[in-house]
Amino acid sequence: MTERNYWQRMRRKQMSRRALLRASGRAGVGAAGLALVGCGDDDDDGQQSAAQAAGQQQQQGQAMQQQGQQGQQQQAMQQQGQQGQQEAAADSQADQADQQEQSADDAQEQQQAAVTDIVRGGHLTFSTPAATHDYFDPGRGVFGPTQFWMGFYMNYLIRYRNKEQDIAEPDIASLPEIPDDETYIFRLDQGARFWDQYPTEGGRLVTAEDVRVNYQRQIDAVDATGADDGTFLSAGSYRRTSAMEVPDEFTWVAKTDGPDATWMGVPLRPFSWITSPEAISEFGDRWRDEAGNLDLSSGTGMFIPHSYDPDIGISMSRNPNYWKMGVDGQPLPYYDEVTLANMEDATTVDAAYRGREILNGRFPLTTLQADGIAEDFPDHNYGQIAFGFTIITLVNYNPDWPGEDGLGNPWVDRRFAKALGMAVDPYLMIDTVYLGSGKPTGLHDTPWYSSYWALPEEELLQTPGFRPDRDVDIAEARALLEASGYDKSRGLRMIAPDLWESSYPGVLETEIGMYKNALDLDVEFDVQPYTVILQRFVDGTYPGSGPQWGNPPAELDPTAPYNDFFTPEGSVNTLSYDYPPMAEIAYKMRVTLDREERWEMAQDAQRLLLGTHPDHGLDGITTIPGVMNGISPVIWWPFVHHSEDTLQFAHASHRYDETWIDVNHPDYPA
């Protein structure tokens, strides 16, 4: 049995949100469920719901799921008209037949896989920029590397099996029942347990009250004294939950205040981990104030972290009491240890991979280096993923901030902001950082990895700031800067991450030259660690930046990010964006359950934010005016067996739960 066939079979154990909510619609959910499908092509509509876990737990979960579907179908037939009854009955019978047949096939195939393929043991190793870290707090963190690490040792309520394809699956809870447009019912029936260590000695079961406490913490967004705490950057997303109920120990119910097209993105978003209330009580603000203290961890995941040093990396060991089962009937994971070693230099990563110090080669490995490795080791596995970071620029529209020189905030004049945005050469940055393996992608808050939501590429390439003809962009940028009346003798002082320069030595000089050549403007950078930069976001004094790293979009549907970034009360509107027509679009998208209608509004929103909408001019341009994403190589040794679902743009480290290592392979480092 080949590895390819094994993973193809494993990918059948999944359910797209589209299929989930289509089934819910048959059971009486109606338009609200259908509106929560998200993005992606329709080719996942045929995905079938299957077992929720492996082994005996998988079979029991399947039986419960089928019984629940039968009850939902009976209710639907009472609520819907005769035509709807016939369609629901026909569809559900077909689904159940497919599920039963698939269940039998999967059980046999997985048993064979366990006997013939899977080997236990081993040490999985990666490179990582270990200093690029904000918080180990499950509720405060936002940084991509931290999210990747925590995916190995934390769990979601439900999770993406494949985010790019919009396929969700159970994690701590089963996929939700959605009886009406405003109610989501989660059953904590997966057997999830906290670690058997302080502050949850004994490893107790996760309860519905635990989930409620986690959500309430995000909704409140206050520190231990009860004061508002701006480091809870996801608060706006969680506040889409208007009420919560705990009808029994293992049932949690979330309600919205009216139909909300964005709510299903909340439990699926990055850093929606479930931690213990004991940890929330015990650790509190220490999570914020001791950002690098890994001992302040309490989770449910397959690994338990035990050491972190920004100069060394992060290490974790297998959770011996993990509650998810492998296809061999034993608890996951199959391997024993994970180490993510601090490596910020591509040459170091290349040498470490060749020497088997790391078994997975990725960031900051360049495409040229990966190609060289593949040529020297043709049997190694080689793939590409969208880069885990985008390149973005940011500006601050806060009218009360006096600017770095005390002469006033220059960004409040949108002509100045647009001129600086157009001075950025996206193609030069792609060549400098990604060695040509990338593309301009428009807007940070619109999922560029989805061709459905993003503006067509041909339109983007005609947009000022993205046109391949740099002379045209530069001429327009100079005219805008002159029209703004900005005194160029002031120069401009912006901020930059220290890791940005250390990862790409000389990149800030490239940016300084870029602004000088385009606008004859002298720019200097205040180089700071990310913790300082994040605080300046929070306190409203962010001075603007040239190109630097940013996180990829957290959600597939831009409706939620538009509400978070571009409404006055948005939880991540820390750059003081305030344009009522854009807020009106965001509000309307949130209550519009028809995806095609939201798509039309999103197209208008993108043109407004880019300054090309004929009705708005530059009045509503974004605070994040230039975005590029790269293509990152991924290469790994042939004795490491990954699911295809690990090769995603980001937010996929939890999918290493099915990875296994052939420790008997002659090349495996003993």
Side-chain angles (χ1 to χ4, degrees), residues 245 334 375 480 540 635:
E245 298 174 0
Y334 298 114
E375 183 175 348
L480 286 168
I635 192 164

Side-chain angles (χ1 to χ4, degrees), residues 390-397 401 404 409-411 416-425 429 444 492-498 500-501 507-508 510-512 514-515 519 521-530 532-534 536-537 541-551 574-575 622-628:
T390 53
I391 300 176
I392 62 174
T393 61
L394 303 108
V395 302
N396 182 5
Y397 291 161
W401 176 61
E404 289 290 87
N409 181 359
W411 303 108
F416 177 87
K418 185 64 176 178
L420 269 291
M422 293 178 64
V424 172
D425 184 344
M429 295 311 303
H444 169 262
L492 183 66
R493 183 175 174 83
M494 296 191 285
I495 202 166
D498 53 2
W500 177 247
E501 175 65 22
V507 69
L508 293 181
T510 298
E511 294 179 24
I512 288 170
M514 183 174 60
Y515 289 112
L519 300 174
L521 180 65
D522 292 322
V523 168
E524 62 176 309
F525 289 102
D526 178 19
V527 180
Q528 295 287 348
Y530 271 112
V532 173
I533 292 173
L534 183 60
R536 295 202 66 176
F537 269 114
T541 66
Y542 191 80
S545 70
Q548 60 168 280
W549 284 324
N551 286 328
T574 57
L575 297 172
T622 179
T623 50
I624 312 176
V627 181
M628 298 131 265

Side-chain angles (χ1 to χ4, degrees), residues 343-407:
M343 296 182 188
E344 300 174 6
D345 176 72
T347 301
T348 301
V349 175
D350 188 323
Y353 181 84
R354 291 174 179 273
R356 290 177 291 182
E357 295 175 42
I358 58 173
L359 305 183
N360 295 265
R362 48 172 62 205
F363 172 84
L365 195 68
T366 68
T367 300
L368 289 177
Q369 289 169 315
D371 287 344
I373 294 172
E375 183 175 348
D376 294 340
F377 300 95
D379 61 332
H380 286 210
N381 303 288
Y382 188 18
Q384 290 184 323
I385 58 174
F387 201 74
F389 301 92
T390 53
I391 300 176
I392 62 174
T393 61
L394 303 108
V395 302
N396 182 5
Y397 291 161
N398 182 3
D400 298 324
W401 176 61
E404 289 290 87
D405 57 8
L407 298 178

Side-chain angles (χ1 to χ4, degrees), residues 27-49:
V29 174
L34 294 175
L36 295 175
V37 167
C39 70
D41 298 329
D42 290 338
D43 58 4
D44 63 346
D45 279 355
Q47 303 280 0
Q48 300 298 321
S49 171

